[in-house]
């Protein structure tokens, strides 16, 4: 018993000396620091928005319908994308009852699913006209609508809460945009809230990887004005590329592989805005409506590609694919 009492008496001193030694060792820092670098790949979320108006039923000199050719182009475009990219599909025509466009496939990582979805699109599936503005609008929805719903459900605690798409469409349709040549003295401001909500629920800085690639063979002639839809995309930080092939009497198609090299050809009235480096360009020879369209597209960070032959279509898509590479950042 005496031994244990003596041990207890010495214990505080032993613990004190042990603590001091531990602190001395810690201050000496007897460890090595290791670090490693990791490459983080941020993929793109891309919506291909395809014209399915009545003119897409026309035959080329090869006997292939224009729409079938564009489907082949989509497959080639898909092959050029990384596995970390998600790709979706929307289509537009218009002129019927209801919406002039629709989401065919929301962005998916499955290339097989995308190819299957592209087989669904057919000419005049939403009418016989050309509703380009509504095509862009539904493409925006395909990229961010689910985020809007999810955020609202989290904030309200209501699992059935959804963003009012019809109200947003009506608000965009009545915009007063004199800066793009669309003044509207009768525009109401009561729905500025619903437009502001889109940016709050899906901030532009979080949409920098979202891209819309629109293809059309003519001007919009029904539905929502394209400039208003592009304005919404710009507000949300979504980039828009606009590919337009103006119909001519010569839409001859060569083989699809060879067509990929022809986007560099600037002859025969080919307008390649994407390859113009300066922002200050002379657009005096371009019709007013197309000039406004080009400038609106460029404000989103995208570009306008215009040609007069279907030979250029694949080249345009491949140029967009080259411009929109997945972002790789190094993190230590």
């Amino acid at each position: 018993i005496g031994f244990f009492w003596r041990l207890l008496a010495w214990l505080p001193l032993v613990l004190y000396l042990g603590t001091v030694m531990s602190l001395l060792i810690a201050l000496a820092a007897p460890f090595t620091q290791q670090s490693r670098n990791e490459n983080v790949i941020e993929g793109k979320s891309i919506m291909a928005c395809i014209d399915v108006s009545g003119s897409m039923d026309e035959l080329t000199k090869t006997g292939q319908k224009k729409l079938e050719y564009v489907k082949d182009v989509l497959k080639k475009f898909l092959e050029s994308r990384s596995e970390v990219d998600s790709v979706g599909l929307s289509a537009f025509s218009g002129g019927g009852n209801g919406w002039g466009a629709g989401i065919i496939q929301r962005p998916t990582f499955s290339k097989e699913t995308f190819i299957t979805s592209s087989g669904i699109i057919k000419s005049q599936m939403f009418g016989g006209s050309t509703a380009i503005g509504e095509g862009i609008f539904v493409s925006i929805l395909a990229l961010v609508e689910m985020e809007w719903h999810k955020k609202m459900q989290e904030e309200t605690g209501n699992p059935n809460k959804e963003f009012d798409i019809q109200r947003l469409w009506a608000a965009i349709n009545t915009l007063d945009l004199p800066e793009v040549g669309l003044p509207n003295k009768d525009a109401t401001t009561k729905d500025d809230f619903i437009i502001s909500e889109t940016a709050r629920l899906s901030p532009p800085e979080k949409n920098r990887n979202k891209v819309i690639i629109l293809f059309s063979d003519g001007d919009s002639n029904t539905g929502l004005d394209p400039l208003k839809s592009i304005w919404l995309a710009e507000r949300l930080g979504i980039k828009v590329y606009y590919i337009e092939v103006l119909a001519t009497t010569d839409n001859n198609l060569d083989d699809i592989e060879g067509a990929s090299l022809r986007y560099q050809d600037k002859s025969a009235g080919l307008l390649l805005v994407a390859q113009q480096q300066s922002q200050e360009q002379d657009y005096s020879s371009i019709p007013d409506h197309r000039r406004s369209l080009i400038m609106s597209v460029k404000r989103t960070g995208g570009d306008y590609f215009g040609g007069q032959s279907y030979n250029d279509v694949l080249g345009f898509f491949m140029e967009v694919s080259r411009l929109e590479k997945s972002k790789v950042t190094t993190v230590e």
Side-chain angles (χ1 to χ4, degrees), residues 136 211-212 214 230 233 238-242 297-298 300-303:
I136 298 172
V211 179
I212 295 172
L214 180 134
I230 295 171
I238 298 173
K239 196 178 294 185
V240 177
Y241 287 92
Y242 196 112
V297 165
K298 290 178 75 68
T300 70
D303 268 304

Side-chain angles (χ1 to χ4, degrees), residues 32-147:
T32 58
Q33 180 177 348
Q34 294 182 340
S35 64
R36 66 177 181 179
N37 293 330
E38 292 183 351
N39 287 331
V40 179
I41 304 176
E42 181 184 24
K44 299 288 183 176
S45 186
I46 301 172
M47 279 297 296
C49 184
I50 304 302
D51 186 348
V52 292
S53 59
S55 61
M56 297 299 288
D57 255 342
E58 296 175 2
L59 297 177
T60 64
K61 289 186 177 181
T62 62
Q64 186 181 25
K65 289 184 177 181
K66 292 179 182 179
L67 183 56
E68 295 305 314
Y69 173 73
V70 173
K71 288 182 182 181
D72 290 341
V73 168
L74 288 177
K75 293 177 183 177
K76 291 289 182 181
F77 172 78
L78 191 64
E79 293 172 0
S80 70
R81 301 310 302 173
S82 168
E83 295 296 331
V84 298
D85 296 326
S86 61
V87 185
L89 180 64
S90 62
F92 63 90
S93 49
N97 295 324
W99 292 74
I103 299 170
I104 308 302
Q105 174 65 55
R106 295 184 187 277
T108 174
F109 291 105
S110 171
K111 294 185 177 182
E112 292 77 12
T113 300
F114 178 86
I115 292 173
T116 301
S117 299
S118 67
I120 296 173
I121 60 175
K122 60 182 180 180
S123 176
Q124 305 184 62
M125 63 189 303
F126 300 106
S129 303
T130 308
I132 293 176
E134 295 193 11
I136 298 172
F137 184 80
V138 300
S139 297
I140 294 172
L141 296 184
L143 290 169
V144 295
E145 180 188 4
M146 293 298 103
E147 296 176 24

Side-chain angles (χ1 to χ4, degrees), residues 69 73 243 256 259-264 272 305 310-321:
Y69 173 73
V73 168
I243 297 174
I256 201 166
S260 64
L261 302 176
R262 270 186 288 278
Y263 69 87
Q264 297 175 346
L272 259 178
F305 299 82
Y310 268 70
N311 289 334
D312 303 310
V313 176
L314 180 60
F316 291 155
F317 270 92
M318 291 300 110
E319 176 66 6
V320 174
S321 187

Side-chain angles (χ1 to χ4, degrees), residues 251-313:
N251 274 332
N252 184 35
L253 291 176
D254 294 332
D255 64 285
I256 201 166
E257 288 79 9
S260 64
L261 302 176
R262 270 186 288 278
Y263 69 87
Q264 297 175 346
D265 181 13
K266 297 184 179 179
S267 62
L270 180 63
L271 175 64
L272 259 178
V273 179
Q275 293 187 350
Q276 298 173 350
Q277 299 300 320
S278 173
Q279 294 295 321
E280 299 295 330
Q281 298 293 334
D282 180 13
Y283 296 120
S284 58
S285 61
I286 303 174
D288 290 343
H289 72 282
R290 188 160 288 111
R291 186 186 310 127
S292 297
L293 186 65
I294 293 171
M295 298 312 297
S296 294
V297 165
K298 290 178 75 68
R299 278 195 295 270
T300 70
D303 268 304
Y304 172 94
F305 299 82
Q308 293 184 330
S309 169
Y310 268 70
N311 289 334
D312 303 310
V313 176

